[in-house]
Amino acid sequence: MMSQMPQPTALSRCPSCEEPLEAGDRFCGACGYDLSAVPAPPVDNPTITMNGSSPRPPSAVASVDWPLAPEVDSSDTPAPLHRAMDIRGTDSGGSELPHPHPESEHPHREPAGVRFDRPAQPDEYPLAPPAAEPAAEPAVGPTARPAAGPAAEAPAETPADPRTADLGTPPAGTKLCVACRSGQVDSDGYCENCGHAQPRERDHMEQELGAVAAVSDRGLRHHRNEDAFAISSTALPDGSPAVVAIVCDGVSSATRPDEASLAASRAAGEALLEALPLGTHPQQAMHDAIVAAAEAVNALADASTAQGEHAPHVNAPACTIVGAVVTPTLLIVGWVGDSRAYWVPVDRSSLPARLTEDDSWAAQMVAAGLMNEAEAYADERAHAITGWLGADAYELEPHTASFKPDRPGVVVVCTDGLWNYAEAAEDMAEVVPLDAAERPLHSAQVLVGHALDGGGHDNVTVAVVPFPAPPQGAGSA
């Protein structure tokens, strides 16, 4: 799944061949690469906007001036104003979320509710070799061939070269290998002829609905895509459009993370499509959608794995979630975990902003004042998450925030498979195409390509939502 851990000062792998290195090595033992020629890694100071953290200097945000959100004269939750420099999540009642409290005064002790989001991953995922052809059963009678001898040791027939051989037309419904084009694909997704793993349906997904588009890709290092998304649009009671984007990132260290992200994205999207046309305030609808997503993920847990009557499920399916609802006047975001939403104005002379706060170990340490950013993000636990959806979650605390931008722009909703390669809002704005509001699908494709060009170490999913929602965005999809 998720975060790319910060690299230590000493190299752990050869930058040329990825061979593991020992402390003090001056040359790679595998390829002979001169390790003394490797430049020192640049200092990385990620953008942190956790509650309780010190605000940025005024000059850095002087041009970002969100206008006041209108008062909502109803029993629904109002939409409070939040500046990009000090974004605070609110619960469904409009109250500020409490500041995170450390469970220990020791800055290097993990607080409760922290989980590392992925197990150790191999550098490569070797394909399984093709299954050996089963030996023919010996014939019975005087014509039976001897079990031993040169004939029994004859090599298997060489597969036909698909570039020159006449493979003929396969039977209807037969799925052929995308690599050799001659072998049939078995139920496990491998070619029976050459052993090549076949692309899964979720390896690369794209969808566009006019006012919103999303792209998801497996990446270059993972064996499957554990991300999922749901995009849609509907109409509010007054006929104005509301565009929805949900992005979920499966926690790889949990069981069935791909199922968790898919269940969560579908449940959240369906909940929003049901609530918004009924007049539910978008911020309340987002909060309820996250709760619905959590319930859907909880339902995937196997009760047989529980330890005791009141114990949480062990290593149950889990994921993070981030979503956005865009109307002609309001921008609502909601999240749990470390998937993010960014604001990128059409006028690039205006400052972009990150709209969400990570539920992560590093952000918690900084917000609690136990470590500064440099110390927190240099720790190997920096991107361990402290909030997720799942039966073994420490607690469910949906974060929501409401904005009313005074200028057009786009909302980038993404997993850390993208923002690991463009973490600061300014970095994200640099890679978002200038015509993103007019070509959201193209922009999502460009952003996924940026992550793949950067190494593609994780699944990458991104949705691009123009603001304000255009009139043609109305209508259920």
Side-chain angles (χ1 to χ4, degrees):
M1 184 195 82
M2 306 169 168
S3 310
Q4 184 179 9
M5 291 299 190
Q7 297 296 319
T9 303
L11 293 174
S12 59
R13 294 184 179 274
C14 173
S16 175
C17 67
E18 293 291 329
E19 183 73 13
L21 301 174
E22 298 292 338
D25 282 352
R26 298 178 59 190
F27 296 91
C28 175
C31 68
Y33 189 84
D34 185 0
L35 301 176
S36 64
V38 180
V43 177
D44 182 19
N45 295 317
T47 301
I48 300 296
T49 56
M50 283 288 291
N51 290 341
S53 60
S54 299
R56 298 178 182 176
S59 60
V61 295
S63 62
V64 179
D65 184 18
W66 300 106
L68 288 172
E71 293 294 333
V72 179
D73 186 15
S74 69
S75 59
D76 292 325
T77 306
L81 169 71
H82 297 274
R83 293 181 299 167
M85 64 175 283
D86 189 22
I87 300 167
R88 297 176 179 271
T90 58
D91 59 22
S92 59
S95 303
E96 282 192 5
L97 296 172
H99 290 204
H101 293 288
E103 303 219 353
S104 170
E105 296 181 358
H106 196 286
H108 298 291
R109 183 174 301 166
E110 292 180 11
V114 177
R115 76 182 298 163
F116 286 92
D117 49 35
R118 76 172 85 177
Q121 299 286 339
D123 291 334
E124 297 179 354
Y125 295 94
L127 298 178
E133 292 291 336
E137 295 183 5
V140 178
T143 59
R145 299 171 65 179
E153 300 175 1
E157 182 180 352
T158 303
D161 187 338
R163 297 169 296 180
T164 58
D166 182 9
L167 302 177
T169 302
T174 301
K175 184 177 181 181
L176 291 183
C177 173
V178 298
C180 71
R181 299 301 302 165
S182 61
Q184 296 186 19
V185 178
D186 62 22
S187 58
D188 293 331
Y190 289 87
C191 175
E192 295 177 345
N193 177 51
C194 68
H196 194 285
Q198 305 301 295
R200 297 176 175 87
E201 180 183 358
R202 289 175 64 176
D203 280 358
H204 185 88
M205 302 178 291
E206 297 186 1
Q207 189 178 3
E208 183 179 34
L209 295 177
V212 59
V215 176
S216 181
D217 192 271
R218 184 185 67 176
L220 305 179
R221 304 295 290 275
H222 276 225
H223 67 291
R224 66 180 175 185
N225 189 358
E226 297 167 356
D227 290 355
F229 66 79
I231 59 174
S232 57
S233 60
T234 187
L236 301 177
D238 62 359
S240 60
V243 181
V244 173
I246 300 292
V247 168
C248 296
D249 190 348
V251 177
S252 290
S253 60
T255 59
R256 294 148 46 214
D258 52 334
E259 296 181 30
S261 62
L262 185 62
S265 61
R266 287 178 174 176
E270 291 170 358
L272 286 167
L273 287 182
E274 181 179 352
L276 292 172
L278 299 178
T280 305
H281 189 278
Q283 191 169 2
Q284 176 69 52
M286 177 62 76
H287 178 276
D288 296 343
I290 294 176
V291 173
E295 293 174 349
V297 178
N298 292 348
L300 298 176
D302 184 359
S304 65
T305 63
Q307 293 181 343
E309 181 181 357
H310 303 291
H313 297 289
V314 177
N315 203 31
C319 68
T320 68
I321 187 171
V322 63
V325 174
V326 172
T327 75
T329 58
L330 287 178
L331 162 58
I332 307 295
V333 294
W335 73 98
V336 172
D338 66 347
S339 293
R340 295 180 177 180
Y342 291 82
W343 165 257
V344 179
V346 170
D347 180 6
R348 298 304 170 85
S349 63
S350 302
L351 288 180
R354 175 152 68 95
L355 305 177
T356 56
E357 306 163 348
D358 294 345
D359 290 321
S360 70
W361 185 91
Q364 192 175 56
M365 293 296 100
V366 173
L370 297 178
M371 304 174 75
N372 60 37
E373 288 185 4
E375 294 171 338
Y377 279 87
D379 194 287
E380 63 180 5
R381 299 165 291 182
H383 291 278
I385 57 174
T386 58
W388 61 89
L389 306 184
D392 63 349
Y394 183 61
E395 63 179 334
L396 177 62
E397 187 178 21
H399 312 298
T400 63
S402 177
F403 305 91
K404 187 176 182 182
D406 63 348
R407 64 206 71 187
V410 295
V411 185
V412 177
V413 185
C414 64
T415 62
D416 65 344
L418 170 61
W419 66 251
N420 273 328
Y421 300 99
E423 183 166 1
E426 293 77 10
D427 297 334
M428 185 65 71
E430 288 183 1
V431 296
V432 173
L434 295 175
D435 60 352
E438 287 75 32
R439 303 173 66 193
L441 177 59
H442 171 259
S443 299
Q445 293 167 337
V446 169
L447 292 171
V448 169
H450 174 75
L452 298 180
D453 290 343
H457 284 73
D458 199 358
N459 307 146
V460 53
T461 301
V462 56
V464 177
V465 193
F467 177 90
Q472 61 266 28
S476 180

